[in-house]
Amino acid sequence: MAKNKRIAALRAKVDGDKLYSLNEAVALVKGNATAKFDETVEFAIGLGVDPRHADQMVRGLISLPHGTGKTLRVGVFARGPKAEEAAAAGAEVVGAEDLAEKVQAGEIEFDRCIATPDMMALVGRLGKILGPRGLMPNPRLGTVTMDVKGAIEAAKSGQVEYRAERAGIVHAGVGKASFSESQLAENVKALVDALQKARPSGAKGTYLKKASLSSTMGVGVRIDLSSFEG
């Protein structure tokens, strides 16, 4: 009952029929983030794409200007010197066949997976496990690379992976409620800019359709898309 009252109180502060400017939305979301922990601020945007078609897929990585406030656990498939490089760069889990066995057993103790090219024959066999979780290394995303150190540092610096889901919606954490309003707004703008640059050739008509901002325990605030212009 207390939870319902809290949600009702939060919803009373937000006009569900109104489109707020990005700055207004950020202020509302921060003000409504009253949980006892530092809530994650989530951005969601609907795109005019059908990801089931190859020429309408939207996926990539971006390093947000102010990071995400979250420390990613990184798992690396590598052997020899590259495995040593990964461990020295701060990867939480490093291995080859031993790491593959852990993944097959359901022990997935990482949020980003990186692999050297020579490991992809092994990693490829884990596709049914890693793929649905968005963890499959991909050369286009820079997660299949010989620059293991650089990939780990990028992941831990506040890099966000974005991917349009089946309905064409992209969800991404853009910071914490403890971030300043300007930091959150700049992170959102950077993500939207990356999405616009990643517009696929098959996308026709309106590309950016609708967007909203919320916090972990808060309510969604709809954003006026014109806030992203200029």
Short mmCIF file of all heavy atoms in Angstrom, two decimals, residues 71-128:
data_model
loop_
_atom_site.label_atom_id
_atom_site.label_comp_id
_atom_site.label_asym_id
_atom_site.label_seq_id
_atom_site.Cartn_x
_atom_site.Cartn_y
_atom_site.Cartn_z
N THR A 71 29.91 0.87 -12.80
CA THR A 71 31.15 0.20 -13.19
C THR A 71 30.80 -1.15 -13.81
O THR A 71 30.23 -2.02 -13.15
CB THR A 71 32.06 -0.02 -11.97
OG1 THR A 71 32.38 1.24 -11.38
CG2 THR A 71 33.35 -0.72 -12.39
N LEU A 72 31.12 -1.31 -15.07
CA LEU A 72 30.83 -2.55 -15.77
C LEU A 72 31.85 -3.63 -15.39
O LEU A 72 33.03 -3.37 -15.24
CB LEU A 72 30.89 -2.35 -17.28
CG LEU A 72 29.76 -1.60 -17.97
CD1 LEU A 72 30.00 -1.58 -19.47
CD2 LEU A 72 28.41 -2.23 -17.68
N ARG A 73 31.34 -4.84 -15.23
CA ARG A 73 32.23 -6.00 -15.06
C ARG A 73 32.56 -6.50 -16.47
O ARG A 73 31.66 -6.71 -17.27
CB ARG A 73 31.54 -7.10 -14.26
CG ARG A 73 31.13 -6.70 -12.84
CD ARG A 73 30.29 -7.78 -12.20
NE ARG A 73 29.10 -8.04 -13.00
CZ ARG A 73 28.31 -9.11 -12.85
NH1 ARG A 73 28.59 -10.02 -11.94
NH2 ARG A 73 27.25 -9.27 -13.62
N VAL A 74 33.82 -6.68 -16.74
CA VAL A 74 34.25 -7.07 -18.08
C VAL A 74 34.82 -8.49 -18.07
O VAL A 74 35.65 -8.83 -17.23
CB VAL A 74 35.32 -6.09 -18.61
CG1 VAL A 74 35.80 -6.54 -19.99
CG2 VAL A 74 34.76 -4.67 -18.68
N GLY A 75 34.34 -9.27 -19.03
CA GLY A 75 34.87 -10.62 -19.22
C GLY A 75 35.62 -10.66 -20.53
O GLY A 75 35.17 -10.08 -21.53
N VAL A 76 36.78 -11.30 -20.55
CA VAL A 76 37.62 -11.33 -21.75
C VAL A 76 38.02 -12.77 -22.09
O VAL A 76 38.52 -13.50 -21.23
CB VAL A 76 38.89 -10.49 -21.58
CG1 VAL A 76 39.76 -10.57 -22.82
CG2 VAL A 76 38.52 -9.02 -21.28
N PHE A 77 37.78 -13.14 -23.34
CA PHE A 77 38.25 -14.42 -23.86
C PHE A 77 39.59 -14.16 -24.56
O PHE A 77 39.65 -13.49 -25.58
CB PHE A 77 37.25 -15.01 -24.85
CG PHE A 77 36.05 -15.63 -24.20
CD1 PHE A 77 34.92 -14.89 -23.93
CD2 PHE A 77 36.06 -16.98 -23.84
CE1 PHE A 77 33.81 -15.45 -23.32
CE2 PHE A 77 34.96 -17.56 -23.22
CZ PHE A 77 33.83 -16.80 -22.96
N ALA A 78 40.65 -14.66 -23.97
CA ALA A 78 41.98 -14.46 -24.54
C ALA A 78 42.94 -15.48 -23.94
O ALA A 78 42.67 -16.09 -22.91
CB ALA A 78 42.47 -13.04 -24.25
N ARG A 79 44.07 -15.65 -24.64
CA ARG A 79 45.12 -16.55 -24.16
C ARG A 79 46.45 -15.82 -24.09
O ARG A 79 46.64 -14.78 -24.74
CB ARG A 79 45.28 -17.75 -25.10
CG ARG A 79 44.15 -18.75 -25.11
CD ARG A 79 44.57 -20.02 -25.85
NE ARG A 79 43.52 -21.03 -25.87
CZ ARG A 79 42.65 -21.19 -26.86
NH1 ARG A 79 42.73 -20.40 -27.91
NH2 ARG A 79 41.73 -22.14 -26.79
N GLY A 80 47.38 -16.39 -23.34
CA GLY A 80 48.75 -15.91 -23.32
C GLY A 80 48.91 -14.45 -22.97
O GLY A 80 48.25 -13.94 -22.05
N PRO A 81 49.75 -13.73 -23.71
CA PRO A 81 50.02 -12.32 -23.40
C PRO A 81 48.76 -11.45 -23.41
O PRO A 81 48.67 -10.51 -22.62
CB PRO A 81 50.98 -11.90 -24.53
CG PRO A 81 51.66 -13.17 -24.94
CD PRO A 81 50.61 -14.23 -24.82
N LYS A 82 47.81 -11.77 -24.29
CA LYS A 82 46.59 -10.97 -24.34
C LYS A 82 45.73 -11.20 -23.09
O LYS A 82 45.03 -10.29 -22.63
CB LYS A 82 45.79 -11.27 -25.61
CG LYS A 82 46.40 -10.65 -26.86
CD LYS A 82 46.43 -9.13 -26.75
CE LYS A 82 47.18 -8.46 -27.87
NZ LYS A 82 47.24 -6.99 -27.73
N ALA A 83 45.77 -12.40 -22.55
CA ALA A 83 45.06 -12.67 -21.30
C ALA A 83 45.71 -11.90 -20.16
O ALA A 83 45.02 -11.33 -19.29
CB ALA A 83 45.08 -14.17 -21.00
N GLU A 84 47.04 -11.86 -20.17
CA GLU A 84 47.76 -11.10 -19.14
C GLU A 84 47.46 -9.61 -19.27
O GLU A 84 47.29 -8.90 -18.27
CB GLU A 84 49.27 -11.35 -19.29
CG GLU A 84 49.68 -12.79 -19.01
CD GLU A 84 51.15 -13.05 -19.31
OE1 GLU A 84 51.88 -12.07 -19.62
OE2 GLU A 84 51.56 -14.22 -19.28
N GLU A 85 47.37 -9.13 -20.53
CA GLU A 85 47.05 -7.72 -20.78
C GLU A 85 45.67 -7.39 -20.25
O GLU A 85 45.45 -6.33 -19.65
CB GLU A 85 47.11 -7.46 -22.29
CG GLU A 85 46.77 -6.03 -22.69
CD GLU A 85 46.76 -5.83 -24.20
OE1 GLU A 85 47.58 -6.48 -24.90
OE2 GLU A 85 45.92 -5.04 -24.69
N ALA A 86 44.71 -8.32 -20.45
CA ALA A 86 43.34 -8.11 -20.00
C ALA A 86 43.27 -8.03 -18.48
O ALA A 86 42.60 -7.16 -17.91
CB ALA A 86 42.44 -9.24 -20.51
N ALA A 87 43.98 -8.93 -17.81
CA ALA A 87 43.98 -8.94 -16.35
C ALA A 87 44.60 -7.66 -15.81
O ALA A 87 44.09 -7.04 -14.87
CB ALA A 87 44.72 -10.16 -15.84
N ALA A 88 45.69 -7.23 -16.44
CA ALA A 88 46.37 -6.01 -15.99
C ALA A 88 45.52 -4.78 -16.22
O ALA A 88 45.60 -3.79 -15.48
CB ALA A 88 47.71 -5.88 -16.71
N ALA A 89 44.65 -4.82 -17.25
CA ALA A 89 43.80 -3.67 -17.58
C ALA A 89 42.55 -3.61 -16.71
O ALA A 89 41.77 -2.66 -16.82
CB ALA A 89 43.40 -3.72 -19.05
N GLY A 90 42.35 -4.62 -15.88
CA GLY A 90 41.23 -4.57 -14.93
C GLY A 90 40.03 -5.43 -15.25
O GLY A 90 38.97 -5.27 -14.64
N ALA A 91 40.17 -6.36 -16.21
CA ALA A 91 39.04 -7.25 -16.51
C ALA A 91 38.74 -8.12 -15.30
O ALA A 91 39.66 -8.63 -14.65
CB ALA A 91 39.37 -8.13 -17.72
N GLU A 92 37.46 -8.29 -14.99
CA GLU A 92 37.07 -9.08 -13.82
C GLU A 92 37.24 -10.58 -14.07
O GLU A 92 37.55 -11.34 -13.14
CB GLU A 92 35.61 -8.79 -13.44
CG GLU A 92 35.39 -7.55 -12.62
CD GLU A 92 35.58 -6.26 -13.39
OE1 GLU A 92 35.55 -6.28 -14.64
OE2 GLU A 92 35.75 -5.21 -12.74
N VAL A 93 37.01 -11.01 -15.31
CA VAL A 93 37.09 -12.43 -15.64
C VAL A 93 37.89 -12.58 -16.93
O VAL A 93 37.60 -11.91 -17.92
CB VAL A 93 35.69 -13.05 -15.85
CG1 VAL A 93 35.80 -14.55 -16.01
CG2 VAL A 93 34.76 -12.71 -14.70
N VAL A 94 38.87 -13.45 -16.93
CA VAL A 94 39.68 -13.70 -18.12
C VAL A 94 39.87 -15.21 -18.28
O VAL A 94 40.11 -15.91 -17.29
CB VAL A 94 41.08 -13.03 -18.02
CG1 VAL A 94 41.87 -13.25 -19.31
CG2 VAL A 94 40.95 -11.54 -17.72
N GLY A 95 39.74 -15.69 -19.50
CA GLY A 95 39.95 -17.12 -19.70
C GLY A 95 39.71 -17.54 -21.13
O GLY A 95 39.50 -16.71 -22.02
N ALA A 96 39.74 -18.84 -21.35
CA ALA A 96 39.50 -19.43 -22.67
C ALA A 96 38.49 -20.56 -22.50
O ALA A 96 37.33 -20.29 -22.19
CB ALA A 96 40.81 -19.91 -23.28
N GLU A 97 38.93 -21.80 -22.64
CA GLU A 97 38.01 -22.93 -22.46
C GLU A 97 37.41 -22.94 -21.05
O GLU A 97 36.24 -23.29 -20.87
CB GLU A 97 38.74 -24.25 -22.73
CG GLU A 97 38.97 -24.56 -24.20
CD GLU A 97 40.16 -23.80 -24.77
OE1 GLU A 97 40.91 -23.17 -23.97
OE2 GLU A 97 40.35 -23.85 -26.00
N ASP A 98 38.21 -22.56 -20.07
CA ASP A 98 37.70 -22.54 -18.69
C ASP A 98 36.58 -21.53 -18.53
O ASP A 98 35.57 -21.80 -17.85
CB ASP A 98 38.83 -22.23 -17.70
CG ASP A 98 39.57 -20.94 -18.04
OD1 ASP A 98 39.58 -20.54 -19.22
OD2 ASP A 98 40.14 -20.32 -17.10
N LEU A 99 36.72 -20.37 -19.18
CA LEU A 99 35.67 -19.36 -19.10
C LEU A 99 34.44 -19.80 -19.88
O LEU A 99 33.30 -19.56 -19.45
CB LEU A 99 36.19 -18.02 -19.64
CG LEU A 99 35.21 -16.83 -19.61
CD1 LEU A 99 34.62 -16.63 -18.24
CD2 LEU A 99 35.92 -15.56 -20.08
N ALA A 100 34.65 -20.48 -21.00
CA ALA A 100 33.53 -21.00 -21.79
C ALA A 100 32.72 -22.00 -20.97
O ALA A 100 31.48 -22.00 -21.02
CB ALA A 100 34.04 -21.65 -23.07
N GLU A 101 33.41 -22.83 -20.20
CA GLU A 101 32.72 -23.81 -19.36
C GLU A 101 31.88 -23.13 -18.30
O GLU A 101 30.75 -23.55 -18.00
CB GLU A 101 33.75 -24.75 -18.70
CG GLU A 101 34.41 -25.72 -19.67
CD GLU A 101 35.46 -26.57 -19.00
OE1 GLU A 101 35.60 -26.48 -17.75
OE2 GLU A 101 36.16 -27.33 -19.70
N LYS A 102 32.39 -22.04 -17.74
CA LYS A 102 31.63 -21.29 -16.74
C LYS A 102 30.37 -20.69 -17.36
O LYS A 102 29.29 -20.72 -16.76
CB LYS A 102 32.49 -20.18 -16.13
CG LYS A 102 33.58 -20.67 -15.19
CD LYS A 102 34.32 -19.50 -14.57
CE LYS A 102 35.37 -19.97 -13.59
NZ LYS A 102 36.10 -18.83 -12.96
N VAL A 103 30.51 -20.12 -18.56
CA VAL A 103 29.36 -19.53 -19.23
C VAL A 103 28.31 -20.60 -19.52
O VAL A 103 27.11 -20.38 -19.30
CB VAL A 103 29.80 -18.84 -20.55
CG1 VAL A 103 28.58 -18.43 -21.37
CG2 VAL A 103 30.66 -17.61 -20.24
N GLN A 104 28.75 -21.76 -20.00
CA GLN A 104 27.83 -22.86 -20.29
C GLN A 104 27.12 -23.34 -19.03
O GLN A 104 25.99 -23.82 -19.09
CB GLN A 104 28.57 -24.01 -20.96
CG GLN A 104 28.99 -23.70 -22.39
CD GLN A 104 29.85 -24.79 -23.00
OE1 GLN A 104 30.64 -25.43 -22.32
NE2 GLN A 104 29.70 -25.00 -24.31
N ALA A 105 27.77 -23.18 -17.88
CA ALA A 105 27.18 -23.60 -16.61
C ALA A 105 26.29 -22.50 -16.01
O ALA A 105 25.73 -22.67 -14.92
CB ALA A 105 28.28 -23.97 -15.63
N GLY A 106 26.19 -21.38 -16.72
CA GLY A 106 25.34 -20.29 -16.24
C GLY A 106 26.05 -19.28 -15.37
O GLY A 106 25.43 -18.38 -14.80
N GLU A 107 27.38 -19.42 -15.25
CA GLU A 107 28.16 -18.47 -14.43
C GLU A 107 28.63 -17.33 -15.32
O GLU A 107 29.73 -17.35 -15.86
CB GLU A 107 29.36 -19.19 -13.80
CG GLU A 107 28.99 -20.28 -12.82
CD GLU A 107 30.22 -20.96 -12.25
OE1 GLU A 107 31.22 -20.26 -11.97
OE2 GLU A 107 30.20 -22.20 -12.12
N ILE A 108 27.76 -16.34 -15.48
CA ILE A 108 28.10 -15.19 -16.33
C ILE A 108 28.34 -14.00 -15.41
O ILE A 108 27.40 -13.30 -15.01
CB ILE A 108 26.97 -14.91 -17.34
CG1 ILE A 108 26.73 -16.16 -18.20
CG2 ILE A 108 27.32 -13.71 -18.22
CD1 ILE A 108 25.57 -16.04 -19.15
N GLU A 109 29.60 -13.79 -15.08
CA GLU A 109 29.94 -12.78 -14.10
C GLU A 109 30.54 -11.54 -14.76
O GLU A 109 31.54 -10.99 -14.32
CB GLU A 109 30.92 -13.38 -13.07
CG GLU A 109 30.32 -14.58 -12.33
CD GLU A 109 31.31 -15.29 -11.44
OE1 GLU A 109 32.53 -15.10 -11.64
OE2 GLU A 109 30.87 -16.02 -10.54
N PHE A 110 29.91 -11.12 -15.86
CA PHE A 110 30.37 -9.92 -16.56
C PHE A 110 29.20 -9.26 -17.28
O PHE A 110 28.20 -9.90 -17.59
CB PHE A 110 31.50 -10.26 -17.54
CG PHE A 110 31.21 -11.43 -18.45
CD1 PHE A 110 30.47 -11.27 -19.61
CD2 PHE A 110 31.68 -12.70 -18.14
CE1 PHE A 110 30.21 -12.34 -20.45
CE2 PHE A 110 31.42 -13.78 -18.97
CZ PHE A 110 30.68 -13.60 -20.13
N ASP A 111 29.35 -7.94 -17.51
CA ASP A 111 28.31 -7.15 -18.18
C ASP A 111 28.72 -6.79 -19.61
O ASP A 111 27.91 -6.32 -20.39
CB ASP A 111 28.06 -5.84 -17.40
CG ASP A 111 27.83 -6.08 -15.93
OD1 ASP A 111 26.86 -6.78 -15.61
OD2 ASP A 111 28.62 -5.58 -15.11
N ARG A 112 29.98 -6.96 -19.95
CA ARG A 112 30.49 -6.70 -21.29
C ARG A 112 31.50 -7.80 -21.60
O ARG A 112 32.31 -8.15 -20.76
CB ARG A 112 31.16 -5.32 -21.35
CG ARG A 112 31.81 -4.93 -22.68
CD ARG A 112 30.80 -4.59 -23.76
NE ARG A 112 29.79 -3.65 -23.34
CZ ARG A 112 29.97 -2.33 -23.25
NH1 ARG A 112 31.13 -1.79 -23.54
NH2 ARG A 112 28.96 -1.54 -22.88
N CYS A 113 31.40 -8.34 -22.79
CA CYS A 113 32.27 -9.45 -23.18
C CYS A 113 33.17 -9.02 -24.34
O CYS A 113 32.69 -8.51 -25.35
CB CYS A 113 31.44 -10.67 -23.57
SG CYS A 113 32.43 -12.15 -23.90
N ILE A 114 34.45 -9.23 -24.18
CA ILE A 114 35.45 -8.88 -25.18
C ILE A 114 36.22 -10.15 -25.55
O ILE A 114 36.44 -11.02 -24.70
CB ILE A 114 36.41 -7.81 -24.62
CG1 ILE A 114 35.64 -6.50 -24.34
CG2 ILE A 114 37.58 -7.55 -25.56
CD1 ILE A 114 36.39 -5.51 -23.48
N ALA A 115 36.61 -10.25 -26.80
CA ALA A 115 37.37 -11.42 -27.23
C ALA A 115 38.40 -11.03 -28.28
O ALA A 115 38.19 -10.12 -29.08
CB ALA A 115 36.43 -12.49 -27.81
N THR A 116 39.53 -11.72 -28.27
CA THR A 116 40.50 -11.54 -29.34
C THR A 116 40.00 -12.35 -30.53
O THR A 116 39.26 -13.33 -30.36
CB THR A 116 41.90 -12.02 -28.90
OG1 THR A 116 41.80 -13.36 -28.41
CG2 THR A 116 42.47 -11.12 -27.83
N PRO A 117 40.34 -11.95 -31.76
CA PRO A 117 39.81 -12.62 -32.95
C PRO A 117 40.03 -14.13 -32.97
O PRO A 117 39.16 -14.89 -33.41
CB PRO A 117 40.57 -11.94 -34.09
CG PRO A 117 40.87 -10.57 -33.56
CD PRO A 117 41.17 -10.78 -32.11
N ASP A 118 41.18 -14.59 -32.46
CA ASP A 118 41.48 -16.02 -32.49
C ASP A 118 40.60 -16.84 -31.55
O ASP A 118 40.57 -18.07 -31.64
CB ASP A 118 42.95 -16.25 -32.11
CG ASP A 118 43.28 -15.71 -30.73
OD1 ASP A 118 43.16 -14.49 -30.53
OD2 ASP A 118 43.64 -16.50 -29.85
N MET A 119 39.85 -16.17 -30.67
CA MET A 119 38.98 -16.86 -29.71
C MET A 119 37.55 -17.02 -30.22
O MET A 119 36.73 -17.67 -29.59
CB MET A 119 38.95 -16.10 -28.38
CG MET A 119 40.29 -16.00 -27.68
SD MET A 119 40.98 -17.63 -27.27
CE MET A 119 39.76 -18.22 -26.12
N MET A 120 37.24 -16.44 -31.37
CA MET A 120 35.84 -16.41 -31.81
C MET A 120 35.29 -17.79 -32.20
O MET A 120 34.08 -18.01 -32.14
CB MET A 120 35.66 -15.42 -32.95
CG MET A 120 35.73 -13.96 -32.48
SD MET A 120 34.64 -13.61 -31.06
CE MET A 120 33.03 -13.82 -31.83
N ALA A 121 36.14 -18.71 -32.58
CA ALA A 121 35.65 -20.07 -32.86
C ALA A 121 35.09 -20.68 -31.58
O ALA A 121 34.06 -21.36 -31.60
CB ALA A 121 36.79 -20.93 -33.41
N LEU A 122 35.77 -20.42 -30.47
CA LEU A 122 35.30 -20.90 -29.17
C LEU A 122 34.08 -20.12 -28.71
O LEU A 122 33.07 -20.70 -28.30
CB LEU A 122 36.43 -20.77 -28.14
CG LEU A 122 36.08 -21.08 -26.68
CD1 LEU A 122 35.68 -22.54 -26.52
CD2 LEU A 122 37.26 -20.75 -25.77
N VAL A 123 34.17 -18.80 -28.79
CA VAL A 123 33.07 -17.94 -28.31
C VAL A 123 31.81 -18.15 -29.15
O VAL A 123 30.69 -18.09 -28.63
CB VAL A 123 33.49 -16.46 -28.34
CG1 VAL A 123 32.34 -15.56 -27.91
CG2 VAL A 123 34.70 -16.23 -27.44
N GLY A 124 32.00 -18.42 -30.44
CA GLY A 124 30.84 -18.62 -31.32
C GLY A 124 29.93 -19.74 -30.85
O GLY A 124 28.72 -19.68 -31.06
N ARG A 125 30.48 -20.72 -30.18
CA ARG A 125 29.68 -21.85 -29.69
C ARG A 125 28.81 -21.44 -28.50
O ARG A 125 27.92 -22.19 -28.08
CB ARG A 125 30.59 -23.01 -29.30
CG ARG A 125 31.38 -23.58 -30.50
CD ARG A 125 31.89 -24.97 -30.22
NE ARG A 125 32.96 -25.00 -29.24
CZ ARG A 125 34.27 -24.92 -29.54
NH1 ARG A 125 34.64 -24.77 -30.80
NH2 ARG A 125 35.18 -24.98 -28.59
N LEU A 126 29.07 -20.25 -27.97
CA LEU A 126 28.29 -19.76 -26.83
C LEU A 126 27.21 -18.77 -27.25
O LEU A 126 26.58 -18.13 -26.42
CB LEU A 126 29.23 -19.08 -25.82
CG LEU A 126 30.42 -19.90 -25.33
CD1 LEU A 126 31.34 -19.03 -24.48
CD2 LEU A 126 29.95 -21.10 -24.53
N GLY A 127 27.02 -18.67 -28.57
CA GLY A 127 26.09 -17.67 -29.11
C GLY A 127 24.69 -17.74 -28.55
O GLY A 127 24.06 -16.72 -28.29
N LYS A 128 24.19 -18.95 -28.33
CA LYS A 128 22.81 -19.09 -27.83
C LYS A 128 22.68 -18.61 -26.39
O LYS A 128 21.57 -18.33 -25.93
CB LYS A 128 22.37 -20.54 -27.94
CG LYS A 128 22.14 -21.00 -29.39
CD LYS A 128 21.61 -22.42 -29.44
CE LYS A 128 21.36 -22.84 -30.89
NZ LYS A 128 20.84 -24.23 -30.98
#
